[in-house]
Amino acid sequence: MQKSVRYNEGHALYLALLARKEGTKRGFLSKKAAEASRWHEKWFALYQNVLFYFEGEQSCRPAGMYLLEGCSCERTPAPPRTNAGPAGARDALDKQYYFTVLFGHDGQKPLELRCEEEQAGKEWMEAIHQASYADILIEREVLMQKYIHLVQIVETEKIATNQLRHQLEDQDTEIERLKSEIVALNKTKERMRPYHTHQEEEDPDIKKIKKVQSFMRGWLCRRKWKTIVQDYICSPHAESMRKRNQIVFTMVEAETEYVHQLYILVNGFLRPLRMAASSKKPPISHDDVSSIFLNSETIMFLHEIFHQGLKARLANWPTLVLADLFDILLPMLNIYQEFVRNHQYSLQVLANCKQNRDFDKLLKQYEANPACEGRMLETFLTYPMFQIPRYIITLHELLAHTPHEHVERKSLEFAKSKLEELSRVMHDEVSDTENIRKNLAIERMIVEGCDILLDTSQTFIRQGSLIQVPSVERGRLSKVRLGSLSLKKEGERQCFLFTKHFLICTRSSGGKLHLLKTGGVLSLVQCTLIEEPDASDDDSKGSGHMFGHLDFKIVVEPPDAASFTVVLLAPSRQEKAAWMSDISQCVDNIRCNGLMTIVFEENSKVTVPHMIKSDARLHKDDTDICFSKTLNSCKVPQIRYASVERLLERLTDLRFLSIDFLNTFLHTYRIFTTATVVLAKLSDIYKRPFTSIPVRSLELFFATSQNNREHLVDGKSPRLCRKFSSPPPLAVSRTSSPVRARKLSLTSSLNSRVGALDLTNSSSSSSPTTTTHSPAASPPPHNAAVLESAPADKAGDSADMSPCRSPTTPRHLRYRQPGGQVADSTHCSVSPASAFAIATAAAGHGSPPGFNNERTCDKEFIIRRTATNRVLNVLRHWVSKHAQDFELNNELKMNVLNLLEEVLRDPDLLPQERKATANILRALSQDDQDDIHLKLEDIIQMTDCPKAECFETLSAMELAEQITLLDHIVFRSIPYEEFLGQGWMKLDKNERTPYIMKTSQHFNEMSNLVASQIMNYADVSSRANAIEKWVAVADICRCLHNYNGVLEITSALNRSAIYRLKKTWAKVSKQTKALMDKLQKTVSSEGRFKNLRETLKNCNPPAVPYLGMYLTDLAFIEEGTPNFTEEGLVNFSKMRMISHIIREIRQFQQTAYRIDQQPKVIQYLLDKALVIDEDTLYELSLKIEPRLPA
C-alpha cells in the first residue's frame, strides 16, 4: 500500500521561486514547532493560494508549503508567560502578534504563527484570507442556493403548466358542445322562419336612431381626442417644443442665407480676383488675394456641409437632434480663428489695393453684380465675424427650451462653451476693424473717391448736415439771411470729421456725395478753428446776431496757396457744441502728436515711435493691463483689458489723449466706476500734478530737454533737419480782447522743418520796439524755421503780410519760414518739452502777469500748465457732450463748479485757460435749453385744439412729417446711460429704462393707430384706400429717413387682423403692393437688419433708426462678453463696442428735423380714443370678412 502522496516536485520548486520573486506577501514569521514551547523563525512567501516557508531569506529550496484553499485565519491571544527571564524580554513577547491558520478538517493540525508588529500581522491575515478563496466559496454557496431555488420554481411551473393544459382541454370540450347546441338552435330557427312576417327588416326610425347613436359616439370620441390634443398644446412641454422647433427653423433659414453670402464672396469676388491676378497686367497679386480672402473658401465648404446636415435633420421633424452637427463644427474652429486674426490685416490690404485705380474699377464692377444687392466686399468679409456669435445665441435659446435630462443637453452646453471662447476673440477683432469698415463705406459713397480715407490710421469721429455760408473776398461774410430757403438748400453740406481731416460734400438728387472742388478736403494740420468771432470784428458782430450764434469758422492756411475761410452753421447750439468739442479734440491730438515728435526721437526702422518704446507701460502687457495690436489715433496701442486705475491714468496722461479713448471712457465709465471717482482723479491732477502723474511719464516728458538746448546751438544736428507732421509749438502773448473764442492754431505744413524755437519776451509797454539782427547769433540753416518777435504796434501788418499766420498766434510773434533775417538779442532757448506744455496749454491770447522766460523754462510751471490744460480738455468734452450727467447729479455738478472756480483763482492761469474755464462754467450753469430738448409731453400740452383733424382731410405728407417729428422727439429723449446694462430686459425695466420703454410704447401706439384706422371703415374700397394712403405715408417716411415710422406702418399692415383681409388686399393696386414689398425689405430683420444697416450707412442725419436694432446689438455684446475678466480687469474692448453703438445712436439723436409742428395733425396721431386693442381688432376683422368654411 502507498504510504505517501506523489506530487510534481519540479513544478512546486518553480512555484516557490515565483513566490520568492513575485509573492503577494513576503517576510519573516515565527512558526510554532511541534513542541509546545518552541518557536522557529522562518522566511515565508505567499503565492496565489500556496504558502511557502524557507529556512532563511537566501534559501533557494523551500522547507515546506501549505495549501491555503478553504482555510481560515484568526488572531489568537498571546500564550501565558512564566516569570522566568528579565522583565524587558517578557514585555517584548507580549507585544508580539499571534494568529492561527485553520484548515477546516480534523486531519490537519493548525498552523500557529507570530510576527513582531501588529500592522504586519494584520496584513498577513488579510493576505491569507484572500488566498483561501473564502469569499469565492461563500459566493458559490449563495449561487448554489439560488440554483436550487430556481430548480424548485421550474418544477412548480411544470406542474402549473400541466394543470392549465388539462383545463384547456376541458374548455375545448365545452366549446364543441356549445357549438353543437348553436347548430341545433339555428336549425330550429330555420324551421320557424315561415311563420314570421317580413317585418323583421329594420324600421326606418330604428335606422335613424342607430345613425344618431353612431354620430354621437363619433362626436364624443373626437371631442375626447380634441380635449387631449388641446391639453397637450397648452402644456408647457408642447410650448417648449414649439419654441425649440421654431428656433431650429430660424437657424436653418439663417444658415441658408449665410451660405448664400459665402457663395457670393467666393464666386463673386475671390475666384474672379484669382483669375485677374493671373492675367498679363494683374491689378492685384496672388499674395494680396490670399491675404484678403484667407480661409474664405474653406469656411464656405464647411458651412455647406453643416447646412446639408441641418436640412437632413428637418426630415426627422418633430424630433430634432443637433448636437452631433455641432460636434462636427467644433474641430474646425481653428479655421475661424485664423480668419478672425487675419480680419484686420485683410481690410488693411484691401484699403491699400483700392489705391490702384485698375483694381478699384474692377472691384466696383464685381460689386455692381445684382447678387451683391449693393453690398460692398468689406460687408461680405465681415459676415463670418458675426456667425459664431449667432450660433451662441441660438444655442442659448435651445438650451433654454431643452430639458435638463435631454440626451443632447451636455453636448449643446459643451458646444456653447467652445463657441464663447472664440467669440471673445472675435468681439475684439470686430471692435478693432469697425473704424476701417466705416471709412471704406464713406469712401464708397463719394463719387470722386477720397484717397485719405484709405489711410487705415484715420478714425471716424462724426458726420452730419451743416449749412455753408457763402463768403466774398477779404473774408467778409455776405449779407444772407439764415431763414432763406435758397441758403438752406444750396448751402446744405454733408460733413464728415476724422482725426486728421474734415470733409465737406454736397449730395446730389440721386443720393450720391460729391466733394467740393475748393475746400472739400480740409487737413486739420492746416486749419484754425474759431468757435465764435472776435468782438472787434464788425462783420463778425453782425453775423453773430444774424445767425443766432450758430456759426463757426475754419480758417485754412495751405502752404502752397492763399488762405481761405469756411463758415458753417449748425442746426442748433447743442449740435454746434458737439462739433466744436470733437473738432477741437482732433486738433489737440494732432498738435500733441506733432509736438511729441519734436520731443522724442523716432526710429525710422520701426513703426512705433521711440517715445512709446521708451515707456513699457504704454505697450507691454502687465498684471493690470493688456494691449491690443491696433493703434489708436495717437499711435499708442489700444487697451484691451485694464484696471480702473490704469484707465484713469491713461485719461490723465499729459503726453497724449486719444479722442476715441476719451469718447469710449465717457460713454461707459459708469459701468466700472463712478463720476465722483473720475472727478476726484481730475482734481488730483490739477492740484497735485507731480504726485498724481506716473514718474516715468514725467521722466520722458523732460527726457530731451538738455539735449535740445545743445541742438539749438549746433545747426548741424539731425533734429534741426527732421520733418514733422503737425504744427510747431507756439508761444503765448498778451491780448486785450477778452472775446469768447477758442482759436487753435495749426500753422505749419507737412513739409515744414523745425530748426529753432525762440521765445522772446514781449514788451509790456505800448511803444514800438525795433528788432535788429544780432551778429553774435548764428543764422538758422536754410531748412529751418524760426519763431520771431515783431513790433507790437505792427502786429496787424505783419499778420497780413504773412500767409502762414494763425489767428491764434500772438500779435507780437510770427512763425517765419526759412530765409528770414530777423533774430532776437534777448531770447531764452526753450526745450521742446517746454514748448509742448505751452502749446498744449491752449496757446493764444497772451501771457499772465509775471510770465517770463524764466517761468517758461521752469519744469514745475510747465507741468502745472499742461495738467490744467488736460483737466479743462476732459471737462470741456464731458460737459459739452454729456451734459445729462450733470443734470441728473446735482452733487457732481456742484463739485465741478467748485473745481472750475478754484481754477479761475489760480494766479498763474493763462488767459486762454481762463477763457476756456469760463466757457465751461457758462455751459454748465446755463438753464436755458434749446428747442432741441422739446419733449413729447410739451407737444401734448401745446396741441390743445378744439377740434382734431380726421384721417380723410390729412395729406400723406402732413402725416409723414408729423410722425417723423414725434418719432424723433421720442427717440432723442433717451439718455445714453439707459443703453448700459440691458436694463430694458430686467424685471424693473420701467424704473431703470423709462425712456426706452416709452419709445417702445410709442411705437406700439402708432402701429395700433394705423391698424385701427383701417378697420374703422366698413366697406372694402375705403379700407383699400386707407391701406394705399398709409403705404404712401410710409414711403414718405423713408424719404425723410424715418425708418422707425416705416416699420410702425408695415408692422401694422402685417398684423393678422389686417393681413387676412383678402378681399381688401385684392382692391389694393399692384404699385402699392410692390412699394410695400420694397419698404418691408428695407426694414426687414433678416440678417441682423442688414438692409437697414446699409441704408443708414448711406444716409446722413437727421434720421430715425429702428431702436430695436441697436438694442439687439447691445444685448448681443452684453451676453457675448463679460464686463470684467477673471482677474478683475475692465474689458475695455467691450466698452469700445458699446461706445461705438451709443455714438451712432447719439449721432442720430443730436441732429434735429427742421419740421414745423402742426397741432391738429399731432392731436390726431396722439388721440388714444381712436386706438382699438388687439383682440377687438381681430374680432372686427372676423366680422368684416368671416372665415371660409373648410
Side-chain angles (χ1 to χ4, degrees), residues 928-1037:
D928 54 330
Q929 296 204 350
D930 244 345
D931 56 351
I932 191 87
H933 296 288
L934 195 62
K935 297 182 180 179
L936 187 63
E937 293 79 1
D938 302 330
I939 291 183
I940 295 176
Q941 293 177 0
M942 289 188 294
T943 56
D944 188 13
C945 297
K947 183 180 179 181
E949 295 283 348
C950 60
F951 179 68
E952 293 81 2
T953 60
L954 297 174
S955 66
M957 178 63 74
E958 291 175 332
L959 288 171
E961 286 184 345
Q962 299 307 304
I963 288 175
T964 300
L965 180 62
L966 292 176
D967 287 351
H968 190 264
I969 290 173
V970 175
F971 174 70
R972 75 189 179 198
S973 65
I974 306 174
Y976 77 93
E977 60 265 16
E978 289 194 8
F979 296 113
L980 305 175
Q982 289 183 281
W984 62 89
M985 301 177 66
K986 309 298 183 183
L987 294 177
D988 55 345
K989 54 187 176 183
N990 291 321
E991 291 76 20
R992 298 182 62 174
T993 57
Y995 289 95
I996 290 180
M997 301 313 299
K998 186 180 296 184
T999 305
S1000 176
Q1001 179 185 354
H1002 177 72
F1003 182 96
N1004 295 331
E1005 289 175 353
M1006 295 303 298
S1007 183
N1008 289 338
L1009 175 65
V1010 175
S1012 302
Q1013 185 63 56
I1014 295 173
M1015 296 303 298
N1016 278 334
Y1017 294 101
D1019 58 308
V1020 176
S1021 299
S1022 298
R1023 287 196 300 273
N1025 292 335
I1027 290 176
E1028 291 182 352
K1029 186 173 182 179
W1030 279 119
V1031 173
V1033 172
D1035 190 44
I1036 298 174
C1037 287

Side-chain angles (χ1 to χ4, degrees), residues 221-241:
C221 184
R222 287 193 297 272
R223 184 179 178 183
K224 180 179 179 180
W225 278 108
K226 183 179 179 181
T227 303
I228 294 173
V229 171
Q230 287 181 344
D231 291 343
Y232 176 74
I233 290 174
C234 298
S235 65
H237 181 270
E239 180 67 21
S240 178
M241 289 300 102

Side-chain angles (χ1 to χ4, degrees), residues 264 268-269 272-273 276 283-284 293 350-351 353-378 380 439-451 453-454 512-515:
I264 296 175
F269 294 98
L273 286 176
I284 187 175
F293 299 94
L350 178 61
C353 291
K354 281 187 176 183
Q355 298 179 11
N356 183 348
R357 291 302 175 188
D358 294 335
F359 173 80
D360 191 53
K361 182 178 179 181
L362 183 64
L363 183 61
K364 288 181 179 178
Q365 178 183 344
Y366 294 156
E367 291 174 346
N369 189 339
C372 295
E373 299 178 349
R375 290 170 287 178
M376 298 182 294
L377 175 58
E378 306 90 75
F380 287 98
N439 290 3
L440 294 177
I442 296 175
E443 194 271 340
R444 191 57 52 90
M445 291 165 57
I446 300 174
V447 176
E448 300 85 358
C450 190
D451 293 339
L453 297 182
L454 301 180
K512 291 292 184 178
L513 296 177
H514 299 271
L515 284 171

Side-chain angles (χ1 to χ4, degrees), residues 307 329 521 606 684 818 834 972 994:
H307 183 234
L329 184 65
V521 179
V606 296
D684 287 343
S834 305
R972 75 189 179 198

Side-chain angles (χ1 to χ4, degrees), residues 16-17 19-21 26-29 31 40-45 52-64:
L17 180 62
R20 287 178 56 82
K21 296 180 179 180
R26 292 167 292 178
F28 284 99
L29 292 174
K31 174 176 175 293
H40 300 285
E41 188 177 33
K42 306 291 184 181
W43 195 81
F44 285 78
F52 296 91
Y53 62 93
F54 301 81
E55 292 297 334
E57 186 175 0
Q58 303 300 327
S59 300
C60 296
R61 186 178 182 85

Side-chain angles (χ1 to χ4, degrees), residues 1029-1074:
K1029 186 173 182 179
W1030 279 119
V1031 173
V1033 172
D1035 190 44
I1036 298 174
C1037 287
R1038 178 188 62 83
C1039 296
L1040 294 173
H1041 299 164
N1042 179 15
Y1043 301 102
N1044 185 74
V1046 174
L1047 195 56
E1048 287 172 350
I1049 297 174
T1050 55
S1051 62
L1053 297 178
N1054 283 321
R1055 290 191 177 189
S1056 57
I1058 307 294
Y1059 189 77
R1060 62 173 299 277
L1061 300 177
K1062 296 182 179 180
K1063 295 179 182 179
T1064 304
W1065 284 103
K1067 290 283 186 177
V1068 178
S1069 63
K1070 293 182 179 179
Q1071 293 83 356
T1072 302
K1073 291 181 180 178

Side-chain angles (χ1 to χ4, degrees), residues 468 471 475 518-522 526 554-558 561-566:
Q468 183 175 1
S471 59
T518 303
V521 179
L522 305 181
Q526 306 164 357
I554 298 178
V555 180
V556 186
E557 299 172 315
S563 62
F564 60 92
T565 302
V566 178

Side-chain angles (χ1 to χ4, degrees), residues 48-76:
Q48 294 182 357
N49 64 337
V50 182
L51 181 64
F52 296 91
Y53 62 93
F54 301 81
E55 292 297 334
E57 186 175 0
Q58 303 300 327
S59 300
C60 296
R61 186 178 182 85
M65 68 177 182
Y66 295 93
L67 298 176
L68 301 178
E69 183 173 355
C71 70
S72 61
C73 184
E74 59 184 20
R75 182 177 180 181
T76 56

